[in-house]
Amino acid sequence: MTQLLEDLLSQQEERLMACVHCGFCLPACPTYRRLGDEADSPRGRLHLMRAVSEGRLDPASDAFQLHIDRCLGCRACEPVCPSGVEYGLLLEAARATASEARRRSRLSRVILGLFASSGGLRLALLAGRLARATRFPGLLARLVPSGGLLGHLRLASGMLAATRPTRLPGSPAGETGRVEPSRAHEAPAPGSRGRVVLLDGCVQEGLLAQVNQATRRVLEANGYEVLSVPGQGCCGALHAHAGDLEVARDMARVNLRAFQAVGADWVVVNAAGCGLALREYGHLLRTAESEELAGAAEAFSRRVRDISQLLTAPGLPRVGAPLPLKVTYAPPCHLAHAQRVELPPRDLLASIPSLELIPLPNEGECCGGAGIYGVTHPELGGRIGQDKVDAVLSTGAEVVATGNPGCMMQIGGGLCSAGSRVQARHPVELLDESYRRAGFYSSVRPGG
């Protein structure tokens, strides 16, 4: 595994040598800002990676293990790096090296093992939905003290409660509020915008199915034909970010076969972390597969689009009914920093009549969820998450919109624990509600 890290560093040698330790990454790094340790900054971790690849540092050493593990993997350092270092890919290789040298924590092994087992994950998500239906998790999130083992229970309860389908503020049951759309936004012919397939996702479909349902409705309302993809599975993002690259590759192969079997113009993703994983399939498979398969993976990745990108294509989206809500937008790290998709989600929200978009202080910083980080690092992840929750509450918004299930659960869980009524919702849910009120759908569904 050390050879893997050495190979990746060799590929980036020219960019790494160009680094003059300018420190631009330091204020962008959430862990450095809170811990003040150079080893907990991107350039400090790169120094540790180089030391391991050159044989100057044992990958089993406490220094390498601790500081590589502490990284959120938010990739906020990448946009500000003048040398263009591909830190995220190097981090995955470093974590693969670290896990080969020393076993992961028991909690990490349990979580990653669960996501690698489709049957076990389905049962766990079903249990989560059943528990959520009792509304008991919301009560636990507010009453259980933070810290220690109880802190894990508080966090998990809040995250689960945040996934419960609810009505948006001011959405009485059965309201339609039909409006007359302008001619420029009349209903397009079905399929006139092209054929698309949707990554269902595991947590997204298991706990936030309402987001997938809203995604399909708004795509069809804007002229896209949404095709089903039997046989698709987990994207492998959690395993790739944790350095479990072999399992991530297995998942990538499964999805590549499933999506290739269905002819479509675009692969639509409504989860930022999953979207990044799909975009990096070419890189992931090139390290272990033939050039032919890696090339097919890269061609597949070029068709991947975030839902906000498709819905803000020229002439879109359709204009729905007014949605008088105060909303603040929290950009998911893997959408804004890694995929560099920044304007489309804001444009989507701005297209909704009467919606007031309020700036979020320090919006570019991670929420502390970072895949499984919020669960495996409850103290540091909790500190980062609490800062995000405080920022949301300072805006006076009724809804915080964010396009990733992990962010929705981390921020929503923190809001729930704080006893706040502010909801964490996906931007597409807000557009969907605007369309419902405009009467764009053939049958009226309950709001939210």
Side-chain angles (χ1 to χ4, degrees):
M1 279 294 185
T2 304
Q3 183 63 42
L4 173 61
L5 177 61
E6 183 177 354
D7 290 344
L8 279 176
L9 282 174
S10 297
Q11 295 167 15
Q12 296 295 317
E13 189 67 26
E14 183 177 346
R15 289 179 176 177
L16 286 170
M17 291 296 290
C19 176
V20 292
H21 296 274
C22 62
F24 285 2
C25 61
L26 301 184
C29 179
T31 54
Y32 177 78
R33 288 180 58 186
R34 284 163 180 81
L35 302 175
D37 189 335
E38 178 74 17
D40 283 312
S41 72
R43 70 181 183 184
R45 293 183 177 110
L46 288 169
H47 179 76
L48 293 172
M49 294 180 201
R50 181 178 289 280
V52 167
S53 71
E54 294 175 352
R56 295 183 286 108
L57 180 66
D58 185 348
S61 66
D62 289 343
F64 187 72
Q65 294 282 330
L66 175 65
H67 299 299
I68 295 299
D69 181 60
R70 272 183 182 168
C71 182
L72 289 150
C74 68
R75 298 168 81 154
C77 53
E78 292 190 2
V80 300
C81 177
S83 300
V85 178
E86 295 181 78
Y87 178 82
L89 301 180
L90 293 170
L91 176 66
E92 291 177 3
R95 285 185 166 158
T97 304
S99 63
E100 180 74 8
R102 188 189 291 187
R103 204 176 188 193
R104 295 184 183 87
S105 70
R106 179 178 298 176
L107 181 57
S108 295
R109 296 199 307 271
V110 169
I111 296 174
L112 293 175
L114 182 63
F115 275 83
S117 169
S118 58
L121 183 59
R122 281 196 296 270
L123 287 175
L125 293 173
L126 173 60
R129 292 194 299 273
L130 292 175
R132 183 182 65 186
T134 68
R135 303 199 178 188
F136 193 53
L139 183 64
L140 287 177
R142 291 189 294 272
L143 298 181
V144 171
S146 58
L149 291 177
L150 288 178
H152 282 284
L153 177 61
R154 176 188 175 95
L155 174 64
S157 298
M159 293 175 72
L160 182 59
T163 68
R164 188 172 66 86
T166 56
R167 296 186 188 281
L168 285 167
S171 298
E175 179 185 356
T176 56
R178 288 178 179 271
V179 297
E180 189 67 30
S182 66
R183 285 189 65 84
H185 295 280
E186 289 179 354
S192 60
R193 283 279 175 177
R195 294 152 56 91
V196 302
V197 288
L198 174 66
L199 176 75
D200 293 332
C202 38
V203 172
Q204 192 81 299
E205 183 66 18
L207 293 178
L208 291 159
Q210 65 269 20
V211 176
N212 281 348
Q213 293 161 7
T215 299
R216 293 187 182 92
R217 282 193 294 266
V218 298
L219 283 170
E220 290 171 351
N222 281 283
Y224 291 101
E225 180 183 359
V226 184
L227 308 175
S228 61
V229 183
Q232 62 170 298
C234 178
C235 67
L238 294 182
H239 293 83
H241 301 332
D244 196 349
L245 300 182
E246 288 305 317
V247 174
R249 289 184 186 117
D250 289 341
M251 293 177 172
R253 295 185 193 103
V254 169
N255 279 324
L256 194 57
R257 286 194 296 268
F259 281 95
Q260 283 180 323
V262 180
D265 302 306
W266 306 107
V267 178
V268 185
V269 187
N270 55 19
C274 301
L276 177 61
L278 266 59
R279 285 179 181 265
E280 295 184 342
Y281 272 3
H283 169 83
L284 181 66
L285 294 177
R286 186 170 296 283
T287 60
E289 303 292 336
S290 68
E291 288 293 317
E292 182 180 355
L293 182 56
E298 288 178 352
F300 164 80
S301 295
R302 286 193 291 269
R303 293 189 290 123
V304 175
R305 293 291 184 276
D306 182 72
I307 179 63
S308 65
Q309 292 177 289
L310 283 194
L311 290 176
T312 53
L316 293 180
R318 294 177 68 191
V319 176
L323 195 63
L325 285 177
K326 294 181 178 180
V327 178
T328 191
Y329 174 62
C333 292
H334 284 165
L335 189 63
H337 303 319
Q339 299 184 61
R340 311 292 173 91
V341 178
E342 299 184 70
L343 291 180
R346 303 174 200 277
D347 290 342
L348 186 153
L349 292 169
S351 73
I352 302 174
S354 299
L355 185 147
E356 180 184 354
L357 191 56
I358 305 172
L360 179 66
N362 200 20
E363 64 170 29
E365 186 172 73
C366 184
C367 68
I372 64 174
Y373 190 98
V375 178
T376 58
H377 298 73
E379 183 177 346
L380 184 54
R383 287 171 57 188
I384 297 170
Q386 187 59 53
D387 288 343
K388 181 66 73 175
V389 168
D390 291 343
V392 169
L393 293 175
S394 74
T395 67
E398 301 164 275
V399 172
V400 53
T402 186
N404 190 58
C407 302
M408 293 174 67
M409 294 173 71
Q410 178 79 359
I411 300 173
L415 291 167
C416 180
S417 296
S420 171
R421 292 182 178 273
V422 178
Q423 298 181 18
R425 305 295 285 261
H426 196 290
V428 80
E429 290 185 274
L430 303 182
L431 184 63
D432 180 57
E433 177 64 12
S434 174
Y435 284 6
R436 184 191 71 82
R437 295 187 184 191
F440 285 174
Y441 305 131
S442 57
S443 60
V444 177
R445 62 180 183 82

